Amino acid sequence: MRTLYLHIGFHKTGSSSLQLAMKEQEQALNRAGFEFLSLGKKGNSSSCVDVVEEREQLHFQVNSRFDKLLATRRSDRTIVSAEHLCYLYQRDDIERVQRVCAKHFDKVVVIVYLRRQDLQAISFKKQGARGAASKRSSSSKLLGHDEGAFPSLSKDIEIYYDYFAKLKVWASVFGADALKVGLFSREALHGGDIVSDFLSLLEGDVELSARQVNEGVARKEFLLTHKLLALGVAESELIKLKPMMQEDDTQLIPSRSDARQFFMHFKDSNQQLNDTFLSNDSGLAFDTDFSGYPEQGNDWISVRELSEWIPEILSAGIQRPEGLRDALLADKLQQMIGRGLSGEALTRELEYLAKCLSATAYIARGQQPWYRALKKKKTSGR
C-alpha cells in the first residue's frame, strides 16, 4: 500500500531538527524501506505553502510544488515534512491537500506536534528576530514586532493558536484515525526527542541519530531587532547593528502573569483539545505549571539599557545614528507617558534618559574665523 507520512508541524516543535536528521540520514531511511522527499536543502518542504498578506490578514494556500514533489515518489512508504501546512485551517484548503495526496498515495498518516501556546509563541517570535527585514519570514508576518515576548492578539493569532478548531478540520478531511497528535515536551516524546518519537510512529524499524538545531536568539537581539523593525529601520542598517546585538547571551523571558494570561486566552479551545486529541489532568491539554517563569519578566527595553546600548549604536556605521537614538528615546517617552510612571521609577528612567542624551551632547562654541589668525591684532584704538 502506498503510504505517505505527512508531518505538518507545528512551528517550533523540533521540525528543523527532524527534517535535518532525515535529510542527512536518507540512506538509513532508504535501507529501512522509506523515502524522504523535500523541497529544501535541509529537508523542509514548507515552500509548498504560500503565505500572503491581503487587507491586513494572512492567507495560506498550497501551491503546485506540493503536487510536483509527491509525483517524484519512488517508494511505497514516503515521508514529507512541511510545518507551514499547519497554517491551513479552511476546509477547502485542507481538502485540496487531501486530493493531491490521494493522487499519489492510498493511505495518508498526518503527524502533528503541539506545544503550549505561551511556550510556542515565545520561541516563534525569537525566530522572527533572526532576520533583518519585516514581513519576510512567516514569523514576522504572523507575530509582528510589537514589544514584549508575546504577539498582540489579532484575528490571525486567534486562528493560528486555536489548535482544536484547526485539527478538527484536518481530522474531518483525512479521517480521525489518520491524524496522529503528539505533545512536544521532553517528558511526552518517545525517547525524549522529536526524532525518536517521529520514528516510533512509522510502520517499520528505523533508527536515526537525533539532531539538535537552535534557531533562537538572545535577549538583546530579540528586543532591539523587533523594536527597530517596528520603527521601520531599513534592512541594510539593521544588518550593521546585528553584530552589537549578538554579543549578549542573556535569555529573554516574560513574567509569569503575562505567560499565563496568553495561555488562558485559549482556554476554551484547549478544553476541547483535551477532550478530543490530548488528555491532561489539567483539563487544558497541557501542563499548567508556570513556575518556570519569574514574577517580573525581562522582555521590555528600559532606558537604562538604552543608555548602555546607544554608544554601540552610534559607532555601528549606520546613517544618522543620532536620529535613530532620538527615535528610540521618543518611543520610550511615549511608553512612559502611557504607563503613568511616577515617583522613584520615573526619576530613575529620567536619569538614564539624561545619560542617553549626554553621550552625544554637543554645544557649538564661538570660534574665530581662520583668516583672523593671519592678521595681527590691534593693540589700541582705531
Side-chain angles (χ1 to χ4, degrees), residues 305-325:
E305 288 172 319
L306 283 181
S307 71
E308 297 171 356
W309 297 345
I310 279 176
E312 298 175 285
I313 292 174
L314 295 175
S315 62
I318 62 173
Q319 299 180 36
R320 298 191 62 195
E322 293 86 357
L324 178 55
R325 175 208 61 191

PDB file of all heavy atoms in Angstrom, residues 305-325:
ATOM      1  N   GLU A 305      19.004  50.484  29.875  1.00  0.00           N
ATOM      2  CA  GLU A 305      19.658  49.648  28.859  1.00  0.00           C
ATOM      3  C   GLU A 305      19.966  50.449  27.600  1.00  0.00           C
ATOM      4  O   GLU A 305      21.020  50.268  26.982  1.00  0.00           O
ATOM      5  CB  GLU A 305      18.772  48.452  28.524  1.00  0.00           C
ATOM      6  CG  GLU A 305      18.735  47.427  29.651  1.00  0.00           C
ATOM      7  CD  GLU A 305      17.720  46.336  29.420  1.00  0.00           C
ATOM      8  OE1 GLU A 305      16.597  46.636  28.950  1.00  0.00           O
ATOM      9  OE2 GLU A 305      18.044  45.169  29.719  1.00  0.00           O
ATOM     10  N   LEU A 306      19.068  51.334  27.230  1.00  0.00           N
ATOM     11  CA  LEU A 306      19.336  52.174  26.068  1.00  0.00           C
ATOM     12  C   LEU A 306      20.585  53.032  26.300  1.00  0.00           C
ATOM     13  O   LEU A 306      21.371  53.267  25.378  1.00  0.00           O
ATOM     14  CB  LEU A 306      18.138  53.066  25.762  1.00  0.00           C
ATOM     15  CG  LEU A 306      16.938  52.396  25.067  1.00  0.00           C
ATOM     16  CD1 LEU A 306      15.834  53.413  24.816  1.00  0.00           C
ATOM     17  CD2 LEU A 306      17.359  51.736  23.753  1.00  0.00           C
ATOM     18  N   SER A 307      20.767  53.487  27.535  1.00  0.00           N
ATOM     19  CA  SER A 307      21.946  54.300  27.839  1.00  0.00           C
ATOM     20  C   SER A 307      23.231  53.499  27.654  1.00  0.00           C
ATOM     21  O   SER A 307      24.289  54.048  27.353  1.00  0.00           O
ATOM     22  CB  SER A 307      21.875  54.845  29.270  1.00  0.00           C
ATOM     23  OG  SER A 307      22.068  53.822  30.229  1.00  0.00           O
ATOM     24  N   GLU A 308      23.137  52.167  27.827  1.00  0.00           N
ATOM     25  CA  GLU A 308      24.296  51.292  27.638  1.00  0.00           C
ATOM     26  C   GLU A 308      24.477  50.928  26.168  1.00  0.00           C
ATOM     27  O   GLU A 308      25.608  50.757  25.697  1.00  0.00           O
ATOM     28  CB  GLU A 308      24.122  50.022  28.469  1.00  0.00           C
ATOM     29  CG  GLU A 308      24.053  50.261  29.975  1.00  0.00           C
ATOM     30  CD  GLU A 308      23.657  49.014  30.739  1.00  0.00           C
ATOM     31  OE1 GLU A 308      23.361  47.976  30.082  1.00  0.00           O
ATOM     32  OE2 GLU A 308      23.642  49.057  31.988  1.00  0.00           O
ATOM     33  N   TRP A 309      23.370  50.792  25.450  1.00  0.00           N
ATOM     34  CA  TRP A 309      23.435  50.324  24.065  1.00  0.00           C
ATOM     35  C   TRP A 309      23.667  51.446  23.058  1.00  0.00           C
ATOM     36  O   TRP A 309      24.208  51.206  21.986  1.00  0.00           O
ATOM     37  CB  TRP A 309      22.144  49.585  23.711  1.00  0.00           C
ATOM     38  CG  TRP A 309      21.905  48.356  24.523  1.00  0.00           C
ATOM     39  CD1 TRP A 309      22.813  47.697  25.302  1.00  0.00           C
ATOM     40  CD2 TRP A 309      20.673  47.626  24.649  1.00  0.00           C
ATOM     41  NE1 TRP A 309      22.230  46.607  25.910  1.00  0.00           N
ATOM     42  CE2 TRP A 309      20.922  46.534  25.526  1.00  0.00           C
ATOM     43  CE3 TRP A 309      19.398  47.785  24.115  1.00  0.00           C
ATOM     44  CZ2 TRP A 309      19.930  45.608  25.863  1.00  0.00           C
ATOM     45  CZ3 TRP A 309      18.411  46.865  24.445  1.00  0.00           C
ATOM     46  CH2 TRP A 309      18.669  45.785  25.318  1.00  0.00           C
ATOM     47  N   ILE A 310      23.240  52.657  23.393  1.00  0.00           N
ATOM     48  CA  ILE A 310      23.323  53.758  22.417  1.00  0.00           C
ATOM     49  C   ILE A 310      24.752  54.046  21.954  1.00  0.00           C
ATOM     50  O   ILE A 310      24.969  54.270  20.755  1.00  0.00           O
ATOM     51  CB  ILE A 310      22.622  55.012  22.967  1.00  0.00           C
ATOM     52  CG1 ILE A 310      21.100  54.864  22.734  1.00  0.00           C
ATOM     53  CG2 ILE A 310      23.145  56.281  22.307  1.00  0.00           C
ATOM     54  CD1 ILE A 310      20.256  55.970  23.294  1.00  0.00           C
ATOM     55  N   PRO A 311      25.778  54.041  22.824  1.00  0.00           N
ATOM     56  CA  PRO A 311      27.145  54.241  22.310  1.00  0.00           C
ATOM     57  C   PRO A 311      27.529  53.215  21.244  1.00  0.00           C
ATOM     58  O   PRO A 311      28.209  53.548  20.269  1.00  0.00           O
ATOM     59  CB  PRO A 311      28.016  54.105  23.567  1.00  0.00           C
ATOM     60  CG  PRO A 311      27.114  54.536  24.683  1.00  0.00           C
ATOM     61  CD  PRO A 311      25.762  54.006  24.308  1.00  0.00           C
ATOM     62  N   GLU A 312      27.065  51.974  21.403  1.00  0.00           N
ATOM     63  CA  GLU A 312      27.333  50.941  20.404  1.00  0.00           C
ATOM     64  C   GLU A 312      26.574  51.219  19.111  1.00  0.00           C
ATOM     65  O   GLU A 312      27.100  51.016  18.012  1.00  0.00           O
ATOM     66  CB  GLU A 312      26.931  49.571  20.945  1.00  0.00           C
ATOM     67  CG  GLU A 312      27.698  49.127  22.176  1.00  0.00           C
ATOM     68  CD  GLU A 312      27.172  47.821  22.726  1.00  0.00           C
ATOM     69  OE1 GLU A 312      26.089  47.834  23.347  1.00  0.00           O
ATOM     70  OE2 GLU A 312      27.826  46.786  22.528  1.00  0.00           O
ATOM     71  N   ILE A 313      25.348  51.697  19.244  1.00  0.00           N
ATOM     72  CA  ILE A 313      24.550  52.036  18.063  1.00  0.00           C
ATOM     73  C   ILE A 313      25.196  53.195  17.300  1.00  0.00           C
ATOM     74  O   ILE A 313      25.277  53.184  16.071  1.00  0.00           O
ATOM     75  CB  ILE A 313      23.111  52.401  18.483  1.00  0.00           C
ATOM     76  CG1 ILE A 313      22.386  51.157  19.021  1.00  0.00           C
ATOM     77  CG2 ILE A 313      22.326  52.998  17.306  1.00  0.00           C
ATOM     78  CD1 ILE A 313      21.006  51.434  19.598  1.00  0.00           C
ATOM     79  N   LEU A 314      25.681  54.177  18.036  1.00  0.00           N
ATOM     80  CA  LEU A 314      26.286  55.359  17.413  1.00  0.00           C
ATOM     81  C   LEU A 314      27.559  55.017  16.648  1.00  0.00           C
ATOM     82  O   LEU A 314      27.933  55.718  15.696  1.00  0.00           O
ATOM     83  CB  LEU A 314      26.587  56.417  18.473  1.00  0.00           C
ATOM     84  CG  LEU A 314      25.371  57.037  19.188  1.00  0.00           C
ATOM     85  CD1 LEU A 314      25.837  57.968  20.296  1.00  0.00           C
ATOM     86  CD2 LEU A 314      24.479  57.776  18.212  1.00  0.00           C
ATOM     87  N   SER A 315      28.234  53.957  17.064  1.00  0.00           N
ATOM     88  CA  SER A 315      29.512  53.600  16.427  1.00  0.00           C
ATOM     89  C   SER A 315      29.384  52.441  15.443  1.00  0.00           C
ATOM     90  O   SER A 315      30.386  51.896  14.995  1.00  0.00           O
ATOM     91  CB  SER A 315      30.536  53.231  17.507  1.00  0.00           C
ATOM     92  OG  SER A 315      30.100  52.107  18.251  1.00  0.00           O
ATOM     93  N   ALA A 316      28.150  52.065  15.096  1.00  0.00           N
ATOM     94  CA  ALA A 316      27.939  50.892  14.230  1.00  0.00           C
ATOM     95  C   ALA A 316      28.060  51.198  12.747  1.00  0.00           C
ATOM     96  O   ALA A 316      28.001  50.296  11.918  1.00  0.00           O
ATOM     97  CB  ALA A 316      26.566  50.275  14.517  1.00  0.00           C
ATOM     98  N   GLY A 317      28.186  52.466  12.397  1.00  0.00           N
ATOM     99  CA  GLY A 317      28.357  52.823  10.998  1.00  0.00           C
ATOM    100  C   GLY A 317      27.071  53.031  10.232  1.00  0.00           C
ATOM    101  O   GLY A 317      27.065  53.056   8.998  1.00  0.00           O
ATOM    102  N   ILE A 318      25.955  53.206  10.946  1.00  0.00           N
ATOM    103  CA  ILE A 318      24.680  53.442  10.266  1.00  0.00           C
ATOM    104  C   ILE A 318      24.551  54.924   9.917  1.00  0.00           C
ATOM    105  O   ILE A 318      25.265  55.765  10.450  1.00  0.00           O
ATOM    106  CB  ILE A 318      23.486  53.019  11.155  1.00  0.00           C
ATOM    107  CG1 ILE A 318      23.447  53.847  12.447  1.00  0.00           C
ATOM    108  CG2 ILE A 318      23.556  51.540  11.471  1.00  0.00           C
ATOM    109  CD1 ILE A 318      22.213  53.597  13.295  1.00  0.00           C
ATOM    110  N   GLN A 319      23.617  55.228   9.020  1.00  0.00           N
ATOM    111  CA  GLN A 319      23.372  56.616   8.652  1.00  0.00           C
ATOM    112  C   GLN A 319      22.565  57.308   9.759  1.00  0.00           C
ATOM    113  O   GLN A 319      21.670  56.717  10.338  1.00  0.00           O
ATOM    114  CB  GLN A 319      22.593  56.682   7.339  1.00  0.00           C
ATOM    115  CG  GLN A 319      23.310  56.062   6.143  1.00  0.00           C
ATOM    116  CD  GLN A 319      22.492  56.166   4.887  1.00  0.00           C
ATOM    117  OE1 GLN A 319      21.794  57.156   4.664  1.00  0.00           O
ATOM    118  NE2 GLN A 319      22.567  55.139   4.053  1.00  0.00           N
ATOM    119  N   ARG A 320      22.899  58.523  10.029  1.00  0.00           N
ATOM    120  CA  ARG A 320      22.192  59.349  11.014  1.00  0.00           C
ATOM    121  C   ARG A 320      21.906  58.589  12.318  1.00  0.00           C
ATOM    122  O   ARG A 320      20.754  58.387  12.706  1.00  0.00           O
ATOM    123  CB  ARG A 320      20.881  59.863  10.421  1.00  0.00           C
ATOM    124  CG  ARG A 320      21.068  60.755   9.192  1.00  0.00           C
ATOM    125  CD  ARG A 320      19.762  61.430   8.829  1.00  0.00           C
ATOM    126  NE  ARG A 320      19.334  62.299   9.924  1.00  0.00           N
ATOM    127  CZ  ARG A 320      18.084  62.800  10.015  1.00  0.00           C
ATOM    128  NH1 ARG A 320      17.191  62.505   9.080  1.00  0.00           N
ATOM    129  NH2 ARG A 320      17.767  63.586  11.027  1.00  0.00           N
ATOM    130  N   PRO A 321      22.938  58.124  13.001  1.00  0.00           N
ATOM    131  CA  PRO A 321      22.740  57.366  14.240  1.00  0.00           C
ATOM    132  C   PRO A 321      22.017  58.166  15.324  1.00  0.00           C
ATOM    133  O   PRO A 321      21.261  57.608  16.111  1.00  0.00           O
ATOM    134  CB  PRO A 321      24.158  57.000  14.672  1.00  0.00           C
ATOM    135  CG  PRO A 321      25.029  58.020  14.001  1.00  0.00           C
ATOM    136  CD  PRO A 321      24.367  58.306  12.692  1.00  0.00           C
ATOM    137  N   GLU A 322      22.249  59.498  15.343  1.00  0.00           N
ATOM    138  CA  GLU A 322      21.558  60.314  16.348  1.00  0.00           C
ATOM    139  C   GLU A 322      20.052  60.313  16.121  1.00  0.00           C
ATOM    140  O   GLU A 322      19.267  60.373  17.070  1.00  0.00           O
ATOM    141  CB  GLU A 322      22.087  61.754  16.323  1.00  0.00           C
ATOM    142  CG  GLU A 322      23.520  61.911  16.782  1.00  0.00           C
ATOM    143  CD  GLU A 322      24.521  61.690  15.643  1.00  0.00           C
ATOM    144  OE1 GLU A 322      24.064  61.362  14.520  1.00  0.00           O
ATOM    145  OE2 GLU A 322      25.729  61.836  15.876  1.00  0.00           O
ATOM    146  N   GLY A 323      19.656  60.238  14.851  1.00  0.00           N
ATOM    147  CA  GLY A 323      18.227  60.176  14.547  1.00  0.00           C
ATOM    148  C   GLY A 323      17.602  58.899  15.072  1.00  0.00           C
ATOM    149  O   GLY A 323      16.485  58.905  15.594  1.00  0.00           O
ATOM    150  N   LEU A 324      18.322  57.789  14.941  1.00  0.00           N
ATOM    151  CA  LEU A 324      17.816  56.522  15.466  1.00  0.00           C
ATOM    152  C   LEU A 324      17.771  56.564  16.987  1.00  0.00           C
ATOM    153  O   LEU A 324      16.802  56.088  17.602  1.00  0.00           O
ATOM    154  CB  LEU A 324      18.706  55.371  14.997  1.00  0.00           C
ATOM    155  CG  LEU A 324      18.317  53.979  15.517  1.00  0.00           C
ATOM    156  CD1 LEU A 324      16.870  53.652  15.194  1.00  0.00           C
ATOM    157  CD2 LEU A 324      19.242  52.916  14.942  1.00  0.00           C
ATOM    158  N   ARG A 325      18.802  57.141  17.592  1.00  0.00           N
ATOM    159  CA  ARG A 325      18.777  57.300  19.052  1.00  0.00           C
ATOM    160  C   ARG A 325      17.542  58.081  19.492  1.00  0.00           C
ATOM    161  O   ARG A 325      16.829  57.682  20.418  1.00  0.00           O
ATOM    162  CB  ARG A 325      20.036  58.043  19.501  1.00  0.00           C
ATOM    163  CG  ARG A 325      20.070  58.372  21.000  1.00  0.00           C
ATOM    164  CD  ARG A 325      20.892  59.610  21.265  1.00  0.00           C
ATOM    165  NE  ARG A 325      20.341  60.771  20.587  1.00  0.00           N
ATOM    166  CZ  ARG A 325      20.965  61.925  20.485  1.00  0.00           C
ATOM    167  NH1 ARG A 325      22.175  62.072  20.990  1.00  0.00           N
ATOM    168  NH2 ARG A 325      20.391  62.953  19.860  1.00  0.00           N
TER     169      ARG A 325
END
